[in-house]
Amino acid sequence: AQSVTQPDIHITVSEGASLELRCNYSYGATPYLFWYVQSPGQGLQLLLKYFSGDTLVQGIKGFEAEFKRSQSSFNLRKPSVHWSDAAEYFCAVGAYSGNTPLVFGKGTRLSVIA
Amino acid sequence: EAGVTQFPSHSVIEKGQTVTLRCDPISGHDNLYWYRRVMGKEIKFLLHFVKESKQDESGMPNNRFLAERTGGTYSTLKVQPAELEDSGVYFCASSPERQVGYEQYFGPGTRLTVT
């Protein structure tokens, strides 16, 4: 069955500290991987995506993610967190072959403290 | 370019009533998706339109939910009659026709509360 696991429901980091959000997936075909962010009152915004090529992908707002096929992981990282990064982050997987529904993880809520 | 829009942003109804949610995708996007997030759970797929046709409705929870996409443009999702467990945030997303490197563009969601 297709699934995405985000093991951390809530993470709190200090402003300026580094961040890593974990994501593991189970998918029967070649995956197409995404990280979305939802700020309060906003819709889901795409941070970055991976479908082929370099396994380290750069996204918006200084985020990056690394695809590790052997570990079925797609962890999101940021070297220095800003207070405006406080939001909920969703990892999702879809089929590489085309437009198909996405399977989401439960999300990780990030709090940033001074 | 306007993004995906959804209306209303928030709806509070009583159990047994009817509610209709609307989604306007990005102009020219053939693919339109509905998702739902129940509190504390993951965002789950409901159905997928390609133009005006239902491509996949495997995620629709039951026959109280009816989705339409008029002329391949905007879509509506009707819940009739609403039950308490229908409460959640309903997201709409759209994407262009099949192409490598696609992404789904999401709307802000409609928060439905059934009391």
Side-chain angles (χ1 to χ4, degrees):
Chain A
Q2 303 163 0
S3 67
V4 175
T5 301
Q6 293 181 247
D8 304 305
I9 296 174
H10 186 199
I11 285 180
T12 300
V13 300
S14 298
E15 191 170 15
S18 63
L19 171 71
E20 182 170 30
L21 302 183
R22 295 181 289 165
C23 172
N24 289 93
Y25 67 90
S26 173
Y27 203 75
T30 303
Y32 187 12
L33 294 155
F34 305 81
W35 275 98
Y36 283 89
V37 61
Q38 185 181 23
S39 300
Q42 304 295 314
L44 294 167
Q45 181 183 22
L46 181 70
L47 281 176
L48 46 76
K49 60 188 178 186
Y50 171 80
F51 64 97
S52 68
D54 193 349
T55 56
L56 183 64
V57 293
Q58 303 297 320
I60 62 171
K61 303 184 180 185
F63 285 91
E64 66 177 26
E66 185 171 14
F67 171 59
K68 293 185 178 180
R69 185 183 299 276
S70 62
Q71 299 177 20
S72 297
S73 70
F74 189 55
N75 294 348
L76 182 71
R77 301 193 294 249
K78 186 169 185 178
S80 177
V81 170
H82 188 261
W83 64 267
S84 61
D85 293 325
E88 193 159 18
Y89 293 80
F90 296 92
C91 181
V93 64
Y96 179 85
S97 58
N99 286 301
T100 58
L102 299 181
V103 176
F104 284 85
K106 289 187 176 181
T108 298
R109 180 166 298 282
L110 173 66
S111 296
V112 180
I113 57 176
Chain B
E1 179 184 83
V4 177
T5 58
Q6 293 186 245
F7 182 84
S9 58
H10 193 183
S11 179
V12 181
I13 61 172
E14 292 182 354
K15 176 182 172 180
Q17 290 186 323
T18 297
V19 63
T20 300
L21 313 181
R22 174 171 170 143
C23 168
D24 286 81
I26 293 173
S27 178
H29 281 193
D30 289 337
N31 294 280
L32 187 148
Y33 305 83
W34 284 99
Y35 294 86
R36 177 175 73 173
R37 189 185 190 199
V38 173
M39 188 185 301
K41 304 279 189 176
E42 64 271 27
I43 300 168
K44 283 199 168 180
F45 165 74
L46 296 178
L47 87 159
H48 172 202
F49 283 99
V50 178
K51 297 183 181 178
E52 67 276 8
S53 300
K54 292 176 184 176
Q55 178 78 13
D56 180 356
E57 51 185 330
S58 61
M60 295 287 263
N62 51 61
N63 59 10
R64 295 185 294 102
F65 288 75
L66 175 64
E68 295 179 327
R69 189 178 183 190
T70 306
T73 55
Y74 70 92
S75 174
T76 57
L77 180 64
K78 180 188 287 188
V79 185
Q80 179 182 30
E83 298 289 346
L84 297 179
E85 63 265 25
D86 300 332
S87 295
V89 180
Y90 290 75
F91 292 101
C92 176
S94 71
S95 66
E97 180 45 22
R98 183 182 296 263
Q99 55 184 257
V100 175
Y102 74 92
E103 67 181 79
Q104 295 182 19
Y105 298 82
F106 281 80
T110 292
R111 181 175 297 277
L112 175 64
T113 303
V114 183
T115 63

